[in-house]
Amino acid sequence: MLLPNQLFESFKNVSFIDKGKFIEAHQQAPVISVRLNPLKPSDAFNEMLGVPWCEYGKYLHERPNFTADPLLHAGCYYVQEASSMFLEYALKKLIHFEETIIALDLCAAPGGKSTLLSSLLNEESLLISNEVIQNRASILTENMTKWGQLNTWVTANDPKHFSPLKNVFDVVLIDAPCSGSGLFRKMPDFVNDWNQDTVHLCSQRQQRILHDIFDAVKDDGIMIYMTCSFCEEENEDIVDYILNEFEVDTCSLKIPEEWGVVETQSTKAKGYGYRFFPHLLRGEGFFLACFRKKNAEHHLPKLTISKNSKYKPEVSNITEYVNIESKVTILQHDNLFLIEGSHAVYAEYFAKHLRLIKKGILCGKLIRTEVIPEHELAMYANTRKDIASVELSLNEAILYLQKENIEINCPHKGWFIVTYKGHNLGWIKNLGNRVNNYYPSNYRILNKNILSA
Ligand code: SAM
């Protein structure tokens, strides 16, 4: 791969770069890694070497045919670039996860950082996972659905829509859209589209996004800025911009030297940043910087539940599917949602300001008192384990995920969850003379020859 010359000029102050080794690393294959879902433990990749900065991160020797593995579709793991898993280390250094945290992942699709953060949060905590581009927001919703947590909601908003939300989030992640040079090894085509003008445009957009979101961070809250760019204009210069524009402190992280992560300081304000270079560690290019907001004058928003909202106790057979203790159900246009009890106020608050496209778990349509189950309910990590289920072989599981008709022996008529290696894949309904496949059409595997691919 031929790297653009201008790329080296774009990290003019990064004196420690060994150009030769950097170029050499770009001739090698990208690192393949996954992060396991602690709520859906399986034996997948157990024997693989761990990523040092991430408890559930694993390096793989080669890229398997991920699409042909039903456990990926069951949400047992997420394919994520290893350097970006460093977010976990930074979060653990700065946040007390035993406390209730209200978090926002502003640029979240396809969901790598959101699934990572959601695995660290306790049940009372809440993550708003946002993506402005609509088709990417759908992919984000799919991935968050598969990850299976009640306390991760999805919104599809422009960062400026968050401006009226003052002092709301304890943690805000800004994994900013960037020029992407850190991913050249993974996406060689990016090299052709890369130029200094794009870097400059990205830098301006990053500044706009930061302005739009800053007030939404709580006093004393943490803001984490990340890119997958090597360029200083999008990294250290943005750190300088943040320290100049906003009332924040830079946060330094103590990092074991042997990891090969490089600590940098911005030219003017000397803010800390952490850089990942492919010639120094097993991962792609990545940058992360953390800030703590200094006390500002905003007051916490007063959150209330209006009298006419439709929060229902157990008016249906929902308890056959989930334990609803400490939770509430919300009925909207016959759709029954399950959310954590303490999140009810947030459901109203966020719905007022944002385009909320996933909240809690959509359990199903309520027809009189019967829940017609939805896919989200099957994917929820805490659905009841005694729901009628049928275990599938690999071939059957793939047919199911392709939304083909499958012949399965069910012991009686009605709804069943189908499983692979004990993990839920979705619903079928046995009508007696045939079995209907309820796998969502938009999630189905399109490649008909996936097992031989
Ligand atoms: N955090 C994601 C993850 O870990 O999977 C990756 C996010 S990617 C680096 C940046 C995201 O920002 C993209 O999903 C992109 O659609 C979104 N984006 C693009 N333009 C944006 C804008 N003007 N404001 C906010 N987000 C934007």
Side-chain angles (χ1 to χ4, degrees):
M1 175 194 308
L2 201 58
L3 295 171
N5 258 333
Q6 278 188 322
L7 179 65
F8 295 97
E9 286 157 33
S10 73
F11 34 83
K12 53 190 183 304
N13 292 318
V14 186
S15 51
F16 46 80
I17 264 280
D18 180 329
K19 196 171 163 185
K21 289 202 170 127
F22 182 84
I23 292 172
E24 200 182 304
H26 278 83
Q27 310 315 317
Q28 286 157 17
V31 173
I32 311 293
S33 48
V34 298
R35 190 168 34 75
L36 310 178
N37 186 344
L39 292 182
K40 298 188 176 185
S42 73
D43 58 5
F45 312 117
N46 266 350
E47 73 288 4
M48 296 297 171
L49 191 69
V51 175
W53 41 83
C54 178
E55 186 176 356
Y56 294 99
K58 297 279 185 186
Y59 287 114
L60 311 192
H61 301 305
E62 55 190 5
R63 192 178 181 87
N65 184 354
F66 284 120
T67 312
D69 181 6
L71 291 183
L72 176 74
H73 304 270
C76 294
Y77 62 92
Y78 187 93
V79 184
Q80 188 176 28
E81 195 285 300
S83 301
S84 64
M85 296 181 199
F86 179 74
L87 172 64
E88 175 174 315
Y89 182 80
L91 286 165
K92 283 180 171 170
K93 284 273 171 205
L94 299 170
I95 288 154
H96 300 291
F97 280 104
E98 59 286 358
E99 291 173 6
T100 300
I101 306 289
I102 307 300
L104 168 67
D105 183 2
L106 185 64
C107 313
K113 313 289 184 313
S114 279
T115 50
L116 182 150
L117 174 53
S118 72
S119 292
L120 299 174
L121 296 174
N122 62 31
E123 286 185 2
E124 292 285 312
S125 296
L126 176 64
L127 168 62
I128 301 295
S129 204
N130 178 70
E131 170 58 43
V132 59
I133 297 177
Q134 303 304 308
N135 59 345
R136 290 179 60 82
S138 307
I139 296 165
L140 174 65
T141 305
E142 175 178 346
N143 286 331
M144 299 320 290
T145 295
K146 289 176 178 170
W147 208 245
Q149 286 191 219
L150 192 63
N151 59 357
T152 313
W153 302 3
V154 179
T155 55
N157 285 90
D158 189 281
K160 66 174 178 272
H161 298 146
F162 287 85
S163 300
L165 278 63
K166 310 279 185 225
N167 210 8
V168 173
F169 298 104
D170 301 283
V171 181
V172 172
L173 307 183
I174 302 145
D175 191 13
C178 70
S179 61
S181 45
L183 298 183
F184 280 169
R185 258 198 332 194
K186 266 179 82 178
M187 317 276 194
D189 287 352
F190 279 16
V191 178
N192 304 329
D193 298 332
W194 186 92
N195 59 53
Q196 272 295 355
D197 291 344
T198 317
V199 172
H200 189 59
L201 283 175
C202 286
S203 162
Q204 289 176 329
R205 182 166 55 181
Q206 287 149 1
Q207 294 170 23
R208 271 200 310 277
I209 291 173
L210 286 158
H211 259 286
D212 287 339
I213 201 59
F214 185 71
D215 282 354
V217 185
K218 265 187 199 161
D219 297 347
D220 216 31
I222 295 289
M223 185 166 88
I224 302 189
Y225 174 81
M226 293 161 276
T227 72
C228 53
S229 163
F230 288 120
C231 305
E232 278 175 71
E233 197 175 345
E234 297 177 82
N235 296 333
E236 285 82 2
D237 291 359
I238 295 287
V239 170
D240 263 344
Y241 176 83
I242 292 172
L243 289 166
N244 187 44
E245 288 287 308
F246 308 118
E247 288 291 306
V248 291
D249 288 321
T250 177
C251 303
S252 94
L253 306 169
K254 281 214 168 3
I255 301 173
E257 222 170 278
E258 64 273 19
W259 287 358
V261 180
V262 176
E263 182 181 272
T264 62
Q265 280 194 291
S266 61
T267 331
K268 292 182 189 140
K270 304 291 173 213
Y272 293 103
Y274 296 90
R275 276 184 174 261
F276 289 67
F277 289 106
H279 62 295
L280 297 179
L281 42 74
R282 278 185 81 185
E284 306 308 311
F286 181 60
F287 177 84
L288 175 145
C290 308
F291 306 87
R292 190 180 290 280
K293 187 171 181 176
K294 292 182 195 171
N295 285 346
E297 282 175 16
H298 297 128
H299 299 291
L300 286 175
K302 206 164 186 291
L303 302 179
T304 49
I305 300 182
S306 56
K307 286 201 184 81
N308 57 358
S309 51
K310 294 195 169 150
Y311 297 96
K312 302 260 177 188
E314 57 282 19
V315 291
S316 64
N317 65 337
I318 185 65
T319 50
E320 290 173 19
Y321 295 109
V322 282
N323 172 5
I324 63 166
E325 221 172 90
S326 87
K327 311 195 174 33
V328 290
T329 52
I330 306 176
L331 192 61
Q332 275 170 343
H333 310 295
D334 296 337
N335 288 322
L336 191 73
F337 297 88
L338 183 73
I339 62 170
E340 194 58 46
S342 59
H343 295 166
V345 284
Y346 288 103
E348 284 208 20
Y349 179 67
F350 288 129
K352 225 177 272 169
H353 294 278
L354 303 172
R355 197 168 153 245
L356 197 50
I357 57 174
K358 168 170 162 52
K359 61 169 175 276
I361 298 295
L362 170 59
C363 298
K365 278 241 174 296
L366 194 64
I367 310 283
R368 286 181 295 278
T369 59
E370 194 191 336
V371 175
I372 309 301
E374 273 285 339
H375 189 65
E376 277 189 34
L377 185 58
M379 290 291 98
Y380 177 35
N382 289 334
T383 41
R384 289 180 63 140
K385 302 298 170 226
D386 57 359
I387 298 173
S389 66
V390 183
E391 172 73 9
L392 303 183
S393 67
L394 175 61
N395 279 321
E396 289 169 336
I398 293 296
L399 282 173
Y400 175 74
L401 295 168
Q402 289 167 329
K403 204 171 165 62
E404 296 291 337
N405 291 328
I406 39 175
E407 284 178 21
I408 304 176
N409 286 329
C410 302
H412 54 79
K413 285 188 185 176
W415 291 100
F416 288 83
I417 282 184
V418 288
T419 61
Y420 175 72
K421 294 190 175 172
H423 290 282
N424 295 356
L425 294 178
W427 297 100
I428 54 169
K429 190 173 189 187
N430 179 22
L431 303 175
N433 54 349
R434 68 168 200 275
V435 168
N436 281 350
N437 181 340
Y438 279 85
Y439 196 66
S441 304
N442 50 332
Y443 292 4
R444 74 187 191 281
I445 299 175
L446 296 172
N447 183 348
K448 294 289 171 211
N449 303 312
I450 189 69
L451 283 179
S452 52

